[in-house]
Amino acid sequence: MAYSSTPNRIAGQRPRRETPPQIIDRFADVGPRAARGRRRVPGIVRRRTMPDEQPVGTRPDSPSERWTVGFLMDVILTRDPWMHRTDIRSRDGRAFGTLRRP
């Protein structure tokens, strides 16, 4: 299966029906492994530039910039769950400010 088709295949699946504790446990399990995996990316890969320029705004005349794989791993993939934390919180059934496990 081609690399680019995997996210599309996953996105087309029906969402899992997990209980809030199951979601919390999955994040607790996957989060540390994902962070370790990002740290292990070799420097030669991290310095590679992404093939396409990335838009820096939402307007049609917004500028674009080139990203390295390291920037993608350290900033974009780390920031994305933080930006979507309200979506994640709505799935786990707890109030937004709650940090302790139930």
Side-chain angles (χ1 to χ4, degrees):
M1 178 177 296
Y3 174 77
S4 62
S5 67
T6 301
N8 294 333
R9 180 179 53 81
I10 293 169
Q13 293 176 355
R14 298 180 70 166
R16 294 187 211 185
R17 300 289 181 214
E18 298 176 310
T19 65
Q22 289 172 321
I23 295 168
I24 293 165
D25 288 343
R26 187 162 46 95
F27 270 85
D29 179 48
V30 173
R33 287 188 293 140
R36 271 194 308 276
R38 288 186 204 158
R39 284 192 302 266
R40 297 169 102 176
V41 176
I44 193 167
V45 174
R46 296 177 60 77
R47 290 187 295 271
R48 293 284 309 215
T49 303
M50 300 294 290
D52 298 322
E53 288 191 354
Q54 305 300 315
V56 183
T58 57
R59 295 179 28 199
D61 60 345
S62 296
S64 295
E65 61 187 22
R66 305 288 286 184
W67 291 352
T68 63
V69 172
F71 179 76
L72 178 70
M73 302 290 279
D74 296 342
V75 177
I76 303 302
L77 296 178
T78 301
R79 181 180 62 186
D80 198 53
W82 182 81
M83 290 174 55
H84 294 287
R85 66 195 183 279
T86 54
D87 302 327
I88 294 167
R89 296 308 261 168
S90 69
R91 288 280 318 269
D92 84 5
R94 293 183 299 169
F96 186 77
T98 308
L99 295 176
R100 290 184 309 264
R101 295 178 75 168

